[in-house]
Amino acid sequence: MKRQIIDTIESYDKIIIHRHVRPDPDAYGSQIGLKELIALNYPDKKVWATGTHESTLDFLAKPDSVSDEDFKDALVIVTDTANTERIDDSRYKLGSFLIKIDHHPNEDAYGDLLWVNTEASSVSEMICELYEEAKEYKGWELDASIARLLYAGIVGDTGRFMFQSTTEQTMFYAGKLLSYGFDRTTLFNEMYEVESNMLQLKGYIYANFEMENGVGHMKLTKELLNKYQVAESEASLLVSALSDVKGMKCWVFFIEDEKEIRVRLRSKGPIINEVAKKYGGGGHPLAAGATAYSWEEAERVIEDLKKAVN
């Protein structure tokens, strides 16, 4: 499969890479890391990364401006995106050939060529694996800036190597990336340092979350976010705040924006992506997301989580 992807990349002069909406470090790491990897090894190719930029990821990279004309006769690659509804930039359909590279359950098997590995900690780890194959097969090279992107993606999706998705292979690739000598301390500071208003909101979460029979929940309304001057995308970064609570089996954050309520689910054991699917979302068995459209619907999510635990 990896060699098929490499051969396909070689056969196109134009390549456009997509990822999911509301990107996280793995979305940027895999998407833009792959873009830069291809550009480094095929300098005559035109390679773009498309999608709406997430300002909290300024420290990693920014996507490109891509025209409709650019999609003509282009190879399109989508990374870290389980289903077509979550692909950022619907123009992915305009290309000549579509490749899916992902680590979520393959319930939406879109694309002409699919590489899905649910055992991988992150798609950034999969790009490392692709590079190792291409290094042997085609003599690809990798530099420090690409290593930094891929390392950030792995760190982000493994919760700094604390999640169960971290494997021996994950640590092997992380170690190889570190050998390129990028500034890891600065990267960690950029990923995890927060403004005082975020710390204050985190304190509010610790003081006000609710838990019953191991199921926790936290509701962050528009009024609350305005009070602490925290954007919805920033609030999503706090979803792991309850992971250290003793007795917590799984939990959900509800983050209200102008049109809907973002649902962020996490678990220490019970399978919660089935709950996410019920509300138009999906994800991993222990980390998933969905959308609710009223606080009444949010209450139903909580009740479904309780059933998942029992």
Side-chain angles (χ1 to χ4, degrees), residues 8 21 53 56 83 101 113 118 125 127 134 146-147 160 175 203 213 217 220 243 245 251 268-269 281 295 300:
T8 306
V21 296
H53 179 51
T56 60
N83 50 62
I101 303 177
L113 183 60
T118 58
E125 179 182 316
I127 302 303
I146 298 168
R160 288 181 270 191
N213 297 327
H217 62 86
L220 300 178
S243 61
V245 177
W251 64 98
K268 295 181 182 179
W295 290 112
R300 293 197 289 273

Side-chain angles (χ1 to χ4, degrees), residues 43-55:
D44 293 334
K45 294 184 185 296
K46 294 180 179 179
V47 193
W48 298 273
T50 187
T52 303
H53 179 51
E54 170 54 59
S55 61

Side-chain angles (χ1 to χ4, degrees), residues 218-274:
M218 185 70 228
K219 298 175 181 176
L220 300 178
T221 64
K222 288 185 294 184
E223 292 76 18
L224 191 63
L225 296 180
N226 288 335
K227 175 182 176 182
Y228 287 97
Q229 297 183 315
V230 172
E232 295 90 345
S233 58
E234 294 174 316
S236 294
L237 300 176
L238 298 175
V239 69
S240 296
L242 301 183
S243 61
D244 295 331
V245 177
K246 187 175 182 179
M248 186 76 76
K249 298 176 182 176
C250 61
W251 64 98
V252 56
F253 270 47
F254 300 103
I255 304 169
E256 186 180 23
D257 63 21
E258 294 302 320
K259 297 181 180 179
E260 58 196 25
I261 301 170
R262 302 185 188 186
V263 181
R264 297 289 176 264
L265 302 116
R266 297 292 184 270
S267 174
K268 295 181 182 179
I271 304 303
I272 45 85
N273 58 347
E274 291 298 323

Side-chain angles (χ1 to χ4, degrees), residues 34-90:
L34 178 58
K35 171 206 162 182
E36 297 297 340
L37 185 60
I38 295 171
L40 176 66
N41 290 282
Y42 301 97
D44 293 334
K45 294 184 185 296
K46 294 180 179 179
V47 193
W48 298 273
T50 187
T52 303
H53 179 51
E54 170 54 59
S55 61
T56 60
L57 298 176
D58 279 346
F59 66 92
L60 279 181
K62 293 183 180 180
D64 304 303
S65 176
V66 186
S67 70
D68 289 353
E69 181 64 24
D70 293 330
F71 281 86
K72 184 178 180 181
D73 300 322
L75 168 64
V76 174
I77 303 174
V78 181
T79 67
D80 196 31
T81 311
N83 50 62
T84 54
E85 289 80 6
R86 298 200 72 229
I87 299 174
D88 194 339
D89 192 341
S90 61

